[in-house]
Each structure stands twice: as structure tokens, then as C-alpha cells.
Amino acid sequence: MDLVPALEEPLKKVLGPATAKVMAEHLGLQTVGDLLHHYPRRYEERGRLTHLADLPMDEHVTVVAQVADARLHTFASAKAPRGKGQRLEVTITDGSGRLQLVFFGAGVHKPHKELLPGTRAMFAGKVSVFNRRLQLAHPAYELLRGDAGETVETWAGALIPIYPATAKMESWKIGKALQTVLPSAQEALDPLPDPLRAGRGLVPLPEALLKIHRPHTRADIEDARARLKWDEAFVLQTALARRRHADALLPAVARRPKPDGLLTAFDARLPFTLTEGQRKVSEEIFTDLATEHPMHRLLQGEVGSGKTMVALRAMLAVVDAGGQAAMLAPTEVLAQQHHRSVTEMMGELAEGGMLGGAEDATKVVLLTGSMGAAARRHALLDLATGEAGIVIGTHALIEDKVQFHDLGLVVVDEQHRFGVEQRDALRGKGKQPPHLLVMTATPIPRTVAMTVFGDLETSVLDQLPAGRSPIASHVVPAADKPHFLARAWERVREEVANGHQAYVVCPRIGDEEDAPKGTAKTKSPEDEAEKRPPLAVLDIADHLAKGPLRGLRVEVLHGRMQPDDKDAVMRRFAAGEADVLVATTVIEVGVNVPNATAMVIMDADRFGVSQLHQLRGRVGRGSAPGLCLLVTEMPEASPARQRLNAVASTLDGFELSRIDLEQRREGDVLGQAQSGTRSSLRMLAVIDDEEIIAEAREEATRIVAADPELTDLPALRTALDALLDEEREQYLEKG
């Protein structure tokens, strides 16, 4: 939760305009309530030192350590040509590891006097690497004196809170500001109903706020955390429970397929049997479609588990029942691909109104932004008259001109690519709210699904259809072992020699403006790998065609090509007329070429875990085994390499999504789900706090069922208003 009315005092009034401005701009904190809910990241004990070996690269950190030695060097430079430049190097230690601090120029005098060997202090700055050693350049610091000065007063108690901070606002300054506003914590309104709080043995909110910011013991911190986690889980789950409650009251048209209609005819012509999972999930969907309230279902499944088949059967059921179905795809390449595969799977059943079309047939139309005017006019007419039962398209489906005869089902592919407004606009095209099926191939752990998509029922496809082959994945450390990269290109040639095809994926297209020329400083290999621009499709395609893959048919695919050109390239590749496709992530979702068996991902460390998993799912789609090579220049010990090793070690998307979440923290997941505003979760860790989330969901559902408007719980209502500022409120309503 965020603010409560008694805490709406602007920080400007309490802390002065200068401090308030920095807090607003750099930390997003506007009011006393915001600051009270800016919790410490961790705590240091006075006598203890931070473990320096675990510091994250390129992050702003605060450490407590002891000065081991300090040396002042003079040197010549452009500004001080006569050897008058000064550099102070201070080594700090935690007893086992060491970290170097560097100060230059006029900035050396104060630290030279204060940072004497044996001194303890808090240091804050950004961790970088210089000459393969960790360092902080020009860190801010606060001495930890043992005297009765201001420092001891500020850090009363043995535990020192370390806050999420920035270069402009160090942890100890945030601590001092909190000292000023902490008395207001007594006025915090408690959103948890008394019976719930007492029943679970949780401390009251004002006490939790005092204990989180000024703990005397580790037990204080545990009490406060337990309480504040419950607040977050409970308020969020109440918001979702109210949305589910409201949705259940909406009317929708029940859609039941005819006994011997289009769906039966389609099933009869399938050349294979559905998996047990596909059958079970289809039944769940058909049950939902047959009710008079809109279905809201999330279908998540591994790459290649056959989600499209399940979605198509749902669309056919709706067409059978006299309605229309729309499938929304995030890119033109994917919309065209879906349209092609749906019409191929349906055969004469997709030729409604045409010569040779089957008796029960319907029309399947494609609608994208780049279609010619005549084709577009035809498609729009087919939708308005009801001639077309199924439409597959991109954002073009959402435009005002698009009218449906009777929209009964909306299928959204790759939900995370669509804004809420877009989904809402499409749903608004039904005479009554249509049923909604959301698909994603990024498997989401159950708790995340409950927290982010808590208003959707969830179906999971975790079985791969028969005939899908395993994919072997390996990390190729190009900087440490260049011969591994040479071997990777040999493997690609071997796959092509065996009659197969390969993808090479790059993070960038390569026709962008050149980056401004930087100054040529010597940098460590880590810096070089991190700072150079990501490898580009056009450069790599050119290099491969002239070098390691000379003689093979190499084609290029990226998002800035003309739609017709993109489609032509994909058709040639699918038809086996190209050996190697060098592409950006436009191939990430839905592209299906069973003959493609190898994939080389360049600069793999620049992609997220779920994105790598998605990309890898493009190979091994036929009977031959797949191979995925993750090329990186990052050093062995780096977090980026650990992430790639995790991807190489498992094909289980659910396992990978857990790893991804643990590394990124769920702020990203929730931030995205809550319309990009700051994540409401400060204390709750979605993966670790599974039980709290599940229990909070039960409590919230029970309370909302008894009192949907929360009339008897004004403090909970206030907390909801704070969580759901206007933007999020609309987000939740549109869902």
C-alpha cells in the first residue's frame, strides 16, 4: 500500500523544497506516507562489516567497512601538466575482501584528512571494474564515530538501516529524513480488519512502521516484515477479488458448439490425436464459453505445447454457436503466420462461401495495417456482415472502422505485448462483453499468475505433442575461447549439409545512427563486452555470408523491413529456399519451420531468460533434434553467464521463469502488469511468499463476497484507493 490520508503531507513542507525535489525526482517519493513506505533494503550491525565479495556490478550500493590504507598520488594530466594532478586511493576491507575507493582533484582533501586507517564508515557509490578490480569512484561516505555526536543519535540502536538510494540521495540522508517523519507513523490507518490481524498474530501498522525503520533487534525486523507483507498481499488481492466479483456480474452470450458442426468436422480431419493436456484445457474453456458471464482465462504453455490448436478449437466452437472470434497477434509476421497455419489446418473448412468450401465452412480473414486498400475493404465487409467467422490480425483490429457482426471471443496471443487499452478497445466491439482467452508461452509461476493475473482463471499446458524433439543448449564463451565460436559456425554448416536450416539471432538491426564516438580509454574486458553496441543483423549477415558461412544461402529478417518483404523472406525460409536466417527477435514468437534445427544467439547475455527460452523454442519443431548455441563475451563469474548457464541447463520454462524472477525481482513483472507505474510490492517477494499470497487471496475473496463495496472497512477502502491511483484503477477495470 502507499499513502493513508493522515500521511498525505507533502515532503516539501516537512523536509524543505531541495530535499523533497530530489526525493520526488530520483525515488518517486512525494508525501510523508511514501517515505514511511520506503523500506530499508537490509540492515548492517554496528560492529559488523559488509561482505565485499558479493557486491553487484553497476549498481548503486551502500557498504559498511573499515579503512585499511590510504595513499595520495600525484600525476601529470591535461588539466595539471606539471605533475600537480592528485589521486587518492583508499582501500577498505571487510576482513576478507577488499575494495578500492578513488578520489581525484580537489575532491581528495577532505577524505585524505578523514579516512585514516582503522576508521569505520558507510560508503555509497556505483560499483565498477578497473584493471579487473572492483572500485567505487568518488563515493559519498558517512563516518561511524563512537562519540556522542549526531551520527550516533541518527543511527540509534545497534542496527543500521540501508535504504534503496541513488547517487543524489544517499542511504544515510534518507535515514535522517525518516527520523523527521517517523512520529507520523502513529497516525497510519490500519487496512487489515481487526479479526484478521489478531487471528494471525500480526502487529498493528504504526508499530510495524516504527520497527522496520528503527529496529532494536532482528526480531523487530521479522515482526515488521511479516505484517507489511500481509498488507501488500491483502490489499492487492482485495483489488483483484473485487474485479473478479464485478466480472461475474457482467452478462455474456453463452456459446455452445453445435453437435455436428464446424468443430466436429475440424476434429475429424486432424491427422493426429490431441494430447491429454490439450483435451483437458479445451474442456475447461468450453465449460466457460457455455456460461452467461464472460470467460477470463489465461492459457499458458511451453513453447510448442499446442496452444494455437486449443485456441483454434475454442474459436471454432464460438463460430459454431453463431458468433465470431478474433485473434490478436503482436506482430505482422506472427499474424500472417497464424493466418497461414489456421487456414492450412482447416483446409476446405476455411473456404466459406467459396467454390469447394465445405458445408459448415466459414471464412478466415487476415487484417493488418499494411494491407492494400482493396483487400482491407473486403476483410472489413466480411467482418461486418458476419461472412468471416474468424479474423486474425494485429493492432489494426482495434481501429474504429472495424465493425463485427457478433464478436463472441477474443484470443490475445502473447499478452505481455499488449496494453490494456488495446485489449479493452477490442472487447468493446462486442454487443455484449465477449469471452476472453489470453495466451502466453512465457510460463509464469503459480504465485505470479495469482498476483498479476489474479482475475483470470489459469490453464496450463505442460505436455509437448508427440513428435517434438529435444533441444540441446550450450553456452559459447566467445571471448575466453574464440575457437568455440568457430566450431559453432561449423555446426551450422553440418546441419545445412544434412538438409536442415538454421537461425542466427542478433539484438540489433544495424541500420541505426552510429553512436557518438566516445573517448578511447583503456577498459577492462568486462567493460568492453558490456559497453560496445550489441551485435547487429546486417553486420553479422554480411560477415557470415563472406566468411564462416560462405556458399550458404543467407537471408535477413528484421522489423523495419516492408511487410511484403518480411512475408516473402519467411515464405522462402519455410519452403527451404534459404539455409540460414539472420534475424532480430521478430522470430521470437510463433514462427514455425520444422526443418530448422539449429539456432545461434549472438550476444545472448543481452536477452532476458524468458526471451531466450522463447527463441530456443523455434528449433526442434520437427523430428530432428534441435541445437541452441548461446554466444557471449561476458566473463565466467558474471551474473550474465550464470543466467545463460541456467537457460542451457533446463528446458523447463516454469523452472526458468522462477530463476528469472529471482534474478530480476518481481517489480518488473508487476510494474508491467500495473500499467508501468511503480510496483506496489516493496516487501512481498512473489516467489518466496507463496503461502501469504494464497492465504491473502482466500481472506480477500471472503471479505469481498460479504461486502463488495467494503462499506464496513473504510481503512481498507482508503488503502485500495492509494494502491489504485486513477491509472491503475482503470487498468484493473479494463483488465
Side-chain angles (χ1 to χ4, degrees), residues 18-187:
T19 305
K21 184 169 185 272
V22 176
M23 287 200 163
E25 284 176 7
H26 294 274
L27 295 167
L29 307 176
Q30 312 278 353
T31 65
V32 168
D34 286 348
L35 182 53
L36 284 172
H37 288 293
H38 187 72
Y39 307 133
R41 181 175 278 166
R42 58 191 171 82
Y43 301 84
E44 295 290 4
E45 286 182 39
R46 262 189 178 291
R48 286 241 184 112
L49 300 167
T50 312
H51 197 51
L52 297 178
D54 298 338
L55 294 181
M57 284 292 297
D58 274 345
E59 272 190 37
H60 195 86
V61 298
T62 304
V63 299
V64 175
Q66 189 162 4
V67 177
D69 68 46
R71 294 167 191 213
L72 192 60
H73 303 275
T74 54
F75 60 92
S77 70
K79 287 183 182 164
R82 289 208 290 278
K84 294 284 172 62
Q86 291 193 307
R87 181 174 81 246
L88 176 66
E89 289 179 4
V90 178
T91 306
I92 58 172
T93 177
D94 61 358
S96 59
R98 289 175 165 245
L99 179 64
Q100 186 143 22
L101 316 178
V102 200
F103 301 89
F104 291 100
V108 305
H109 304 306
K110 185 168 175 271
H112 192 214
K113 283 208 298 273
E114 294 183 333
L115 297 179
L116 304 171
T119 309
R120 278 170 190 256
M122 283 193 282
F123 301 93
K126 197 171 180 185
V127 182
S128 59
V129 169
F130 184 72
N131 285 344
R132 286 197 170 258
R133 281 169 44 206
L134 292 182
Q135 74 164 25
L136 296 181
H138 280 284
Y141 62 88
E142 176 91 342
L143 300 178
L144 293 174
R145 300 189 182 89
D147 59 321
E150 172 201 25
T151 319
V152 175
E153 187 50 43
T154 314
W155 310 110
L159 294 162
I160 303 170
I162 304 291
Y163 290 94
T166 71
K168 295 272 192 289
M169 177 65 60
E170 291 94 8
S171 173
W172 50 88
K173 288 183 184 163
I174 297 170
K176 285 173 185 170
L178 268 152
Q179 195 75 6
T180 312
V181 303
L182 210 48
S184 311
Q186 294 303 338
E187 297 172 52

Side-chain angles (χ1 to χ4, degrees), residues 476-492:
V476 177
D480 309 352
K481 299 178 177 165
H483 60 286
F484 276 37
L485 183 58
R487 176 73 189 117
W489 301 127
E490 281 173 23
R491 282 292 289 113
V492 169

Side-chain angles (χ1 to χ4, degrees), residues 253 255 324 384 404-408 427-434:
V253 179
R255 310 278 179 176
Q324 290 169 295
F404 286 87
H405 177 64
D406 178 15
L407 180 61
R427 274 165 60 178
K429 291 184 179 293
K431 295 188 177 75
Q432 282 191 316

Side-chain angles (χ1 to χ4, degrees), residues 1 143 216 251 309 320 337 391 401 468 484 493 657 725:
M1 349 153 345
L143 300 178
H216 290 289
M309 172 61 69
D320 255 352
Q337 177 95 21
V391 59
K401 288 202 273 301
R468 288 297 300 259
F484 276 37
R493 295 192 83 98
S657 64
D725 49 35

